[in-house]
Amino acid sequence: MNEIKGRVINVSNRLPVLVRKYAGGTRLERSSGGLATALEAGWRDQPGVWIGWAGTGPDEQIEPLLVRAAHRRSYTLRSVALTDEEIAKFYSGFANEIIWPLFHDMPSRCNFDPEYWEIYQRVNRKFAKVVAETAKDDDFVWVHDYHLMLTAASLREAGVRARMGFFLHIPFPSPDMFDKLPWKKPILQSLLQFDVIGFQGDRDRLNFASCLERMLPEVMIERSGPHLLVGQGGHRSVVGTFPIGIDFDAFEQDAQRPEIAAHAAEIRKRVSDDVLVLGVDRLDYTKGIPERLKSFRLLLRRFPEMRGHITLVQVVVPSREEIPNYKHLRREVELLVSQINGEFTEPGWVPVHYIHRNLGRDELLTYYRAADIGLVTPLKDGMNLVAKEFCAAQIDERGVLVVSEFAGAGPELRCGAIVVNPNDFAEVAQALYDAAHMSAEDKRSRMRVLRQIVKDHNVHRWIRSFLDAIPSADGAKGSAGGVSWSQTAGSKVRQDKTMPGVALVAAALSPAARSRYAIGKDAKLRVVSAAAGED
Ligand code: ADQ
C-alpha cells in the first residue's frame, strides 16, 4: 500500500452517525445508505478524522456525543453544521434534485435552480474550511461523492498541501447527459485538482474522459498502467476504476449465527416454503421498485401456476422524504403493492409483503438468508451493495441473484447471476420463473462463483487499491499504477491533439475492458460484447 505518513481525513456529506432529537433530548443513530455502510466496515485501524454533517444546525452542541461515538473507532468525528436553507438547497436541492437524477440518466427529474448552485458552492467552501483547519501536510484527504465535488478547488485555494482523492459512489454520466449541466466546467475543473479520482466502473471512467475531451479540450490524458493520468498546467491526477465491495467475512460470519438461521427458517415456514423473492432498497426512483413490482405482476399473470407459490418481500428504507419526487414515488409503490395484492391474494397467500422501515442488521441478514431469489433491479446504480450482501449471506448456496445490467454490480457479477434489463418486464418475469425452477446443483455452482467474486473484491481491497493509486508526496519516487510519477510530469504528458477522439476515449478503458469495445467505421466506439464492465 502507498504509505500515508499522516492520517486519513475522510470527508463525506454525512457522518456515519446522525444526531436525532426526541422529546427527552438527543441520541445518536447510524446513518443508512451504501457509502456509510461500506466505509464504516472498511475503515478499521488507520488513524484519522471523519468530517461530515451529523444532521444538526449551527446552534447545536454535539461535541460530547461525537466524542462518545468515536469511542472504539480509530478515527475521531468532526461535524459540519448546516442551516435549514443549506439542507434544502445544497443537499435536497443541488445534490439530490440536480446531480443525483442527472448522473442516473434521468434529466427530466432535474430542477436546475440557479440558487441551488450558489448554495452548493457555499457549502462546499464550508466543508473545505473545516478540512483545511484539520489537515496537515502529510495527511491524505479522501473526499466522497457528488455532494462535495467542488471542495478540491477551495482546499487548494486555502493552501492545503496534503494529497487529496475523490471517489464517486454513483455513476458518471455520458457527455450528452453531463453537457446539460450549466455548471459542468467548474465541476470538472475542481475534480481535476484532486490527486486521485476514482469511479465504480470502467463505463463511468470512460464517460469522465469523454466529458474532459469534449468540454475541456486543453486537458492532457495519458494511460498509466491500469489508470489514466489527466491534467492541466502543472497538476496531474490519477483516474482509476475501483469497484466498491463489502466486508464479506463479517456478513458471512454473522449469517452463520444460529439465531439468524432460526429466524430465517421461521420466515420460510410462514411463507409455506414457497419461493421467496427479496428486494431491499432505499426508497429511490433509481432503484426501479415500481418496475420490479410490474415485472412481478407480469409473472403472476403469465404463469398462473406460480400463484400461491411465490412471494415477493419488498423492504424499503425511507429516504429523502422531503423531496417531491420521493413523496410521489412512495405513493406509486404503495398503490402498486395494493393493486397486486388486490388482484391475486388468496386465502393463506399474499403475493407482496411490503416493509417500509430501516431494518437492523440481524433482521436484514435473516431476510438475505431466507430468500430464494435476490431481486436487484435498479434502473441505474453506481454499484449496489445489496446484491453483494445477499451473496455473502447465502452461506448454504441456495439462492439465485437476479441483477440489473445497469448496476455496477451487474457486469461484475454476470458470471453467476441472471442479468436483466429492468425496463424489460417480460425479461425480468422470465428470469424469476427460471430462477424459481433452477436445479439445486445449478444454483449452488452459480452462487459459489458469486460468493468467491464478492469475497475477493471486498471493501478492504477497494480501500487498498484506492490508496495504492495515490501519487507519492515526493514526486520523484511516487508511483501511479506502476509507472513512475515523475516520468509523467511536464512535457512527457502528451497533448490531447496527439491522442484525439476515439483513441483518447479508448485509453480510458482498462486493458481487460478494451477487448469488449471496437472502433466502428464511423470512428465511434462500440460495445462488441454484451457485458462492458469492470476490470
Ligand atoms: P445507495 O444508493 O445507498 O449507495 P446501495 O449500494 O444499495 O445503495 O446500499 C444500500 C445500503 O443500505 C446497503 O448496505 C443495504 O444493506 C442498506 N439498506 C437498504 N435498505 C435497507 C433497509 N430497509 N434497512 C436497513 N438497511 C437497508 C450509494 C450508491 C450505490 C453504491 C453505494 C456504495 O448509490 O450505487 O453501491 O453508494 O458505493
Side-chain angles (χ1 to χ4, degrees):
M1 185 182 295
N2 204 321
E3 198 192 339
I4 298 171
K5 293 204 183 82
R7 305 158 301 166
V8 172
I9 311 292
N10 202 40
V11 192
S12 60
N13 173 52
R14 278 176 200 265
L15 283 176
V17 290
L18 278 179
V19 178
R20 287 256 188 250
K21 289 185 205 125
Y22 66 103
T26 48
R27 66 163 181 263
L28 283 176
E29 279 179 12
R30 267 170 179 260
S31 294
S32 63
L35 187 158
T37 311
L39 268 167
E40 270 240 274
W43 195 355
R44 290 267 173 76
D45 309 317
Q46 181 82 34
V49 185
W50 192 329
I51 295 172
W53 181 53
T56 53
D59 303 329
E60 290 161 80
Q61 288 306 318
I62 56 163
E63 286 316 311
L65 279 175
L66 295 183
V67 169
R68 186 142 47 89
H71 183 59
R72 291 210 214 136
R73 290 180 151 107
S74 66
Y75 46 88
T76 56
L77 299 165
R78 188 153 178 205
S79 85
V80 179
L82 296 181
T83 64
D84 288 347
E85 185 193 33
E86 288 167 346
I87 296 161
K89 293 178 182 165
F90 151 76
Y91 174 69
S92 300
F94 197 85
N96 286 325
E97 283 185 45
I98 299 179
I99 300 296
W100 179 267
L102 191 73
F103 281 32
H104 286 88
D105 295 350
M106 300 181 186
S108 62
R109 290 181 183 266
C110 292
N111 173 11
F112 292 106
D113 185 335
E115 228 191 316
Y116 290 172
W117 170 241
E118 293 305 316
I119 307 296
Y120 185 74
Q121 293 175 86
R122 183 167 103 199
V123 173
N124 270 254
R125 283 196 295 270
K126 199 174 195 177
F127 270 81
K129 186 165 176 281
V130 179
V131 177
E133 287 163 8
T134 311
K136 301 194 176 77
D137 286 359
D138 58 357
D139 290 339
F140 177 65
V141 177
W142 191 359
V143 178
H144 294 266
D145 234 2
Y146 59 102
H147 314 86
L148 300 173
M149 293 185 288
L150 293 181
T151 47
S154 303
L155 284 166
R156 293 297 182 211
E157 270 162 38
V160 171
R161 293 176 48 192
R163 287 167 296 165
M164 304 191 304
F166 176 82
F167 184 78
L168 185 70
H169 290 254
I170 66 173
F172 196 89
S174 68
D176 282 349
M177 197 60 65
F178 192 70
D179 225 359
K180 298 181 198 300
L181 187 64
W183 311 283
K184 58 197 171 221
K185 283 195 181 175
I187 287 179
L188 287 179
Q189 270 152 350
S190 176
L191 288 174
L192 292 176
Q193 302 288 313
F194 286 106
D195 299 303
V196 188
I197 306 165
F199 296 99
Q200 297 272 25
D202 274 344
R203 202 165 13 196
D204 306 309
R205 185 172 63 170
L206 175 63
N207 285 340
F208 179 68
S210 306
C211 287
L212 290 179
E213 185 205 5
R214 186 190 291 185
M215 294 156 213
L216 297 178
E218 69 280 11
V219 168
M220 297 171 284
I221 302 184
E222 184 176 55
R223 177 162 278 288
S224 169
H227 305 309
L228 292 180
L229 285 173
V230 302
Q232 291 175 292
H235 186 260
R236 306 277 172 267
S237 315
V238 175
V239 181
T241 299
F242 308 97
I244 198 167
I246 61 165
D247 189 348
F248 179 91
D249 291 342
F251 267 93
E252 184 184 50
Q253 278 161 23
D254 287 346
Q256 274 166 349
R257 287 186 1 239
E259 59 273 30
I260 301 287
H263 287 146
E266 207 174 298
I267 289 177
R268 294 206 51 77
K269 211 156 74 193
R270 291 208 189 146
V271 294
S272 321
D273 278 330
D274 291 331
V275 177
L276 199 158
V277 184
L278 178 68
V280 176
D281 308 84
R282 276 190 311 101
L283 187 50
D284 193 291
Y285 49 82
T286 62
K287 301 292 180 183
I289 302 167
E291 292 76 7
R292 189 179 310 162
L293 288 165
K294 287 176 190 167
S295 302
F296 187 68
R297 179 170 65 190
L298 190 63
L299 169 87
L300 298 178
R301 285 183 180 161
R302 285 226 174 137
F303 302 101
E305 70 274 21
M306 298 300 290
R307 296 178 198 167
H309 300 293
I310 189 163
T311 301
L312 170 63
V313 176
Q314 177 61 56
V315 187
V316 295
V317 62
S319 179
R320 305 174 193 169
E321 290 182 306
E322 62 293 344
I323 301 174
N325 270 331
Y326 287 76
K327 283 192 191 120
H328 177 256
L329 174 69
R330 180 171 177 184
R331 280 199 298 275
E332 187 186 359
V333 166
E334 292 181 354
L335 187 65
L336 269 167
V337 169
S338 66
Q339 281 173 351
I340 296 169
N341 285 342
E343 187 174 339
F344 296 104
T345 296
E346 295 167 0
W349 175 64
V350 178
V352 183
H353 294 208
Y354 173 66
I355 302 172
H356 179 261
R357 61 170 188 269
N358 203 352
L359 298 188
R361 186 180 164 87
D362 282 5
E363 221 178 336
L364 201 57
L365 279 166
T366 303
Y367 278 106
Y368 285 147
R369 262 207 83 169
D372 298 287
I373 302 173
L375 187 55
V376 183
T377 51
L379 304 178
K380 183 100 181 173
D381 217 334
M383 176 54 66
N384 196 297
L385 297 180
V386 170
K388 296 189 170 184
E389 292 168 3
F390 171 73
C391 297
Q394 282 285 322
I395 49 177
D396 35 21
E397 298 169 343
R398 219 177 26 80
V400 181
L401 177 68
V402 177
V403 66
S404 163
E405 62 181 294
F406 306 126
E412 200 183 351
L413 301 178
R414 66 183 178 275
C415 298
I418 302 182
V419 180
V420 292
N421 175 347
N423 300 305
D424 186 343
F425 305 159
E427 186 185 44
V428 177
Q430 186 64 50
L432 285 172
Y433 185 86
D434 293 346
H437 292 87
M438 198 179 278
S439 71
E441 196 187 335
D442 202 1
K443 286 192 218 174
R444 181 159 300 123
S445 58
R446 281 167 173 265
M447 187 47 76
R448 198 162 288 169
V449 171
L450 288 174
R451 285 169 53 75
Q452 195 58 50
I453 297 169
V454 178
K455 187 178 168 74
D456 291 345
H457 293 246
N458 59 40
V459 70
H460 308 292
R461 176 170 166 167
W462 171 68
I463 292 179
R464 222 173 28 246
S465 61
F466 189 91
L467 299 184
D468 271 347
I470 307 169
S472 156
D474 161 13
K477 293 195 202 109
S479 104
V483 172
S484 165
W485 182 247
S486 59
Q487 282 175 9
T488 65
S491 59
K492 290 208 175 153
V493 176
R494 280 175 280 173
Q495 298 286 336
D496 84 308
K497 286 192 183 61
T498 66
M499 206 183 186
V502 171
L504 183 150
V505 168
L509 299 167
S510 66
R514 248 178 282 168
S515 63
R516 295 198 290 269
Y517 293 83
I519 298 170
K521 283 193 187 135
D522 56 357
K524 292 213 170 101
L525 206 66
R526 301 224 181 286
V527 177
V528 291
S529 81
E534 272 65 42
D535 289 322

